[in-house]
Structure formats: C-alpha cells, structure tokens
Amino acid sequence: MATTVLDASVHPPIVTTLHYEVEGWFGDVLVTTFPCYLVTQETQRSLQEMGFSGATFADVEVTTSEEFHEDQPGQELPPFVWLKVNGKAGRDDFGIAANYLLVISKRVLDLLESLGIPFAVVEPYEQ
C-alpha cells in the first residue's frame, strides 16, 4: 500500500507521492485535501478537450476507509487523477492564491459546475 510522501519542512508541504483515503464522497468531481486536488478521469478528459493552463495530471492511489463502507454501503467511486496546480492565480485557469486557496477561471468553473461540484464553496477571487 502506497503512502503519501511529502516534505513538511515547507509550507505548504511539497507532495511527491499521493495516497488519498476517502471517508465520504457525495458526487463532487473535484476533491480537495490540502495541499492537493483530485478530479475524476471524466473531468480530466473534459479539461483536456477544452484546453487549459496552470495544472498537470499525475497518478494517485485512492482507497476507501472503513467509515466510507459503513456510511455509504454500495457507493462506487469513479476513477480519480491528481490535479497538480502550478499556475498563477488570476492569470491561468488554475492557480493557488496567497492564502493557499484554489483559484479557477470562469470557464473552468462553468465546466466543473456542469459535471457536478454540489458541495464546493465558490467565492469571487479578489487579487
């Protein structure tokens, strides 16, 4: 079983290998676990089709917790990929703000909303 490998001597930590254990999933195509983001493979394909800036994709190991199976029996997870954000907030489609929050462009927000982010908290970005 893989585990997350990170350098915690800096903030935010630099993650080189990501293992994400899901305790609950309610349909969002974007999942956040500071300082990392996951998207469904369907979202990855849609982003690649539209063309975007400020992020790359990498493999992630996703497992489910005992609580997940108890609280959501029979729930299937879609395949996820790691969305590695490296863009400039307010310029690229993906960026990280000074307060470490994810900043996305309007066109990416429209795409994510069409695919399903019912539990996301969305606020305007003030530079």
Side-chain angles (χ1 to χ4, degrees):
M1 176 182 243
T3 57
T4 297
V5 177
L6 62 87
D7 177 357
S9 69
V10 294
H11 187 76
I14 298 171
V15 180
T16 52
T17 303
L18 181 59
H19 170 208
Y20 183 70
E21 184 171 78
V22 178
E23 293 184 1
W25 184 71
F26 302 99
D28 283 88
V29 299
L30 171 70
V31 176
T32 302
T33 178
F34 183 82
C36 299
Y37 303 91
L38 307 180
V39 294
T40 62
Q41 283 183 353
E42 175 191 17
T43 303
Q44 175 190 17
R45 283 191 298 276
S46 296
L47 286 166
Q48 288 170 326
E49 286 171 8
M50 76 182 290
F52 68 95
S53 63
T56 59
F57 298 104
D59 291 334
V60 59
E61 179 181 358
V62 177
T63 57
T64 51
S65 69
E66 192 174 306
E67 292 82 12
F68 176 84
H69 294 284
E70 290 172 2
D71 296 342
Q72 295 182 267
Q75 173 71 54
E76 294 289 323
L77 288 178
F80 282 93
V81 296
W82 184 2
L83 177 75
K84 298 179 86 170
V85 178
N86 56 21
K88 181 165 174 36
R91 185 187 76 203
D92 294 307
D93 288 310
F94 291 93
I96 303 295
N99 61 0
Y100 306 112
L101 293 178
L102 177 65
V103 177
I104 59 175
S105 66
K106 173 75 167 92
R107 69 192 198 113
V108 167
L109 175 61
D110 290 345
L111 173 70
L112 294 177
E113 286 179 335
S114 75
L115 295 172
I117 50 170
F119 294 95
V121 176
V122 179
E123 300 173 346
Y125 174 58
E126 308 284 334
Q127 290 191 13

